[in-house]
Amino acid sequence: MKSFKKHTGKVVAMDRANVDTDQIIPKQFLKRIERTGFGEFLFWDWARLEDGSPNPEFELNRPHAEGASILLARRNFGCGSSREHAPWALEDYGFRVIIAPSFADIFYNNCFKNGMLPIRLPEEQVEELFQRAAEHAPYALTADLESQQLTDAHGFSARIEVEPFRRHCLLHGLDDIGQTLEHEDKISQYEAAHGLAS
């Protein structure tokens, strides 16, 4: 898993609440067994017209959104089913940071397990970011997980609140397997002591 220490990127604003995982990655694209290759299907039903061509009105298809790596959204982002494919698709598309007032719990947890930083901010700060994104387009933010600060070049600053364990794992690029391998020496000692070593 990629570690996350500090990231500066272009912001795309998605002025929608309750974005569910079936919209993030529709069910017909869940047949792949790899974690990669889902980015091209991100928000498919919103991003495409009936004939399959790009919808020019969709937020991510607008010219200023090209290359964006920070997604700004409204409350309850990632609700719906618990599919891990949703953060896979967002990460594969190129997003490293997602900012919203609130996230569905399972989606929030899955972001950390896939090297992305979900940032919860109060509604008024999220609204301020939407206004700044419109005023300063193209708009960029810097998320610094080491100092726990979210900043822009125009005077905005907010604290990134992340539980210490999740912060540690993301800073060091540790998913569940990586966390286990941190204790590889103790595991080997236990296996040897109990006749389990191969």
Side-chain angles (χ1 to χ4, degrees):
M1 186 180 87
K2 291 182 196 173
S3 64
F4 188 110
K5 292 181 172 61
K6 184 177 181 178
H7 177 78
T8 299
K10 186 191 291 187
V11 176
V12 61
M14 179 175 281
D15 197 1
R16 301 171 190 245
N18 304 308
V19 174
D20 66 67
T21 53
D22 193 47
Q23 289 296 345
I24 296 171
I25 182 72
K27 60 185 177 301
Q28 66 266 32
F29 302 114
L30 305 184
K31 298 173 185 175
R32 301 176 61 87
I33 57 172
E34 305 90 357
R35 288 188 179 200
T36 58
F38 290 99
E40 65 181 297
F41 308 119
L42 184 69
F43 300 117
W44 182 266
D45 292 337
W46 291 340
R48 302 285 170 168
L49 299 174
E50 286 187 15
D51 64 2
S53 62
N55 177 0
E57 296 303 312
F58 180 59
E59 294 93 323
L60 271 61
N61 290 343
R62 293 173 185 161
H64 70 268
E66 185 175 354
S69 58
I70 298 177
L71 179 62
L72 176 64
R74 299 294 186 178
R75 67 187 179 279
N76 200 27
F77 189 88
C79 58
S81 65
S82 60
R83 64 188 66 163
E84 196 171 9
H85 302 75
W88 292 355
L90 287 159
E91 192 274 337
D92 191 62
Y93 185 87
F95 287 114
R96 296 298 321 274
V97 178
I98 304 171
I99 303 167
S102 59
F103 296 90
D105 288 342
I106 294 174
F107 175 85
Y108 183 78
N109 188 49
N110 282 339
C111 283
F112 288 100
K113 293 182 178 184
N114 288 281
M116 283 190 303
L117 176 61
I119 300 174
R120 291 184 288 212
L121 292 177
E123 296 264 7
E124 57 271 19
Q125 284 188 321
V126 170
E127 178 58 37
E128 181 179 352
L129 288 177
F130 270 97
Q131 292 175 9
R132 286 171 176 262
E135 182 181 350
H136 300 292
Y139 181 59
L141 283 165
T142 296
D144 188 333
L145 187 57
E146 292 182 304
S147 67
Q148 293 186 250
Q149 290 295 312
L150 180 70
T151 57
D152 70 7
H154 310 283
F156 178 86
S157 180
R159 180 167 172 80
I160 300 170
E161 298 290 349
V162 179
E163 298 88 337
F165 178 72
R166 283 179 165 147
R167 180 172 174 267
H168 169 82
C169 291
L170 199 49
L171 283 170
H172 295 90
L174 299 172
D175 57 12
D176 290 345
I177 294 171
Q179 292 167 38
T180 302
L181 292 177
E182 280 195 307
H183 307 284
E184 191 170 9
D185 290 345
K186 291 180 180 178
I187 293 169
S188 296
Q189 290 171 11
Y190 178 88
E191 289 176 341
H194 293 83
L196 300 172
S198 54

